[in-house]
């Protein structure tokens, strides 16, 4: 079974007491490794929630605002979705693989472990969906802002982008749900 490095707490306590005599700042290596693993795991879990939550929330508001057809509301929401992607989604999308790969390293887990392999593959697929979605959102926001400035309806191109944006977002969402399942259950 893979997981955090095992730490014998009695041994760790003894090591702390032993080293306090030599240096009041010394601490056992095993305890540092356990804290390192738990800290990185916490960052991994928190950033996954922020990534998924921001993505889902942004998609919800943009999708349903688009359905209203209200050009002014669409212009405001699409611009905010682009900002949310840059502030929240992008940093967490970068942090996720970094913390995940480091956790695999710390746990001494082989890359061939099925749930790891499928999680990484799924993340790559979701990322391949997300990158064009970001481009689409930026273009959609620009089209909506132009329509508001010129007091015009949204162009047909906006709605084609909306259809493609939705078509890319749905499978990415499903894949993220599967990745969460794999991370929690860790099937063999």
């Amino acid at each position: 079974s893979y997981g955090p490095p095992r730490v014998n707490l009695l041994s760790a306590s003894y090591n702390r007491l032993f080293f306090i005599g030599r240096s009041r700042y010394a601490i056992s290596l095993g305890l540092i490794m356990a804290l390192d693993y738990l800290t990185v795991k916490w960052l991994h879990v928190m950033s996954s929630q922020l990534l998924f939550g921001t993505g889902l929330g942004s998609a919800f508001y943009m999708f349903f605002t688009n359905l209203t057809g209200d050009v002014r509301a669409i212009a405001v929401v699409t611009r905010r979705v682009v900002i949310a992607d840059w502030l929240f989604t992008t940093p967490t999308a970068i942090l996720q693989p970094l913390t995940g790969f480091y956790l695999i390293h710390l746990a001494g887990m082989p890359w061939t472990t099925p749930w790891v392999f499928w999680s990484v593959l799924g993340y790559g697929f979701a990322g391949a969906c997300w990158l064009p979605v970001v481009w689409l959102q930026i273009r959609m926001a620009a089209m909506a802002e132009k329509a508001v400035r010129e007091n015009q309806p949204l162009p047909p191109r906006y709605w084609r982008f909306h259809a493609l944006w939705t078509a890319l977002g749905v499978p990415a969402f499903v894949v993220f749900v599967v990745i969460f399942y794999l991370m929690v259950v860790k099937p063999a």
Side-chain angles (χ1 to χ4, degrees), residues 71-72 144-154:
V71 179
R72 290 188 186 283
E145 288 172 354
K146 182 179 179 189
V148 167
R149 268 194 321 273
E150 296 176 358
N151 201 24
Q152 295 290 320
L154 290 166

Side-chain angles (χ1 to χ4, degrees), residues 48-169:
S48 72
Q49 292 176 14
L50 191 56
L51 174 66
F52 186 74
T54 301
L56 184 60
S58 294
F60 175 87
Y61 283 107
M62 188 163 157
F63 181 82
F64 285 104
T65 303
N66 281 343
L67 292 182
T68 69
D70 181 339
V71 179
R72 290 188 186 283
I74 290 170
V76 169
V77 170
T78 54
R79 178 56 52 202
R80 297 303 181 267
V81 166
V82 169
I83 292 169
D85 258 354
W86 289 117
L87 290 177
F88 304 110
T89 310
T90 301
T92 57
I94 294 166
L95 191 60
Q96 276 295 284
L98 295 176
T99 55
F101 294 150
Y102 191 55
L103 287 169
I104 291 167
H105 167 74
L106 286 176
M109 190 176 302
W111 290 88
T112 55
T113 305
W115 71 268
V116 172
F117 174 79
W118 289 109
S119 295
V120 170
L121 194 66
Y123 193 82
F125 175 81
C129 290
W130 177 66
L131 289 173
V133 159
V134 171
W135 182 85
L136 289 168
Q137 288 171 174
I138 291 169
R139 298 298 177 270
M140 292 166 76
M143 284 186 262
E145 288 172 354
K146 182 179 179 189
V148 167
R149 268 194 321 273
E150 296 176 358
N151 201 24
Q152 295 290 320
L154 290 166
R157 186 176 189 205
Y158 181 93
W159 299 109
R160 286 193 303 273
F161 279 18
H162 170 74
L164 184 55
W165 177 83
T166 303
L168 289 167

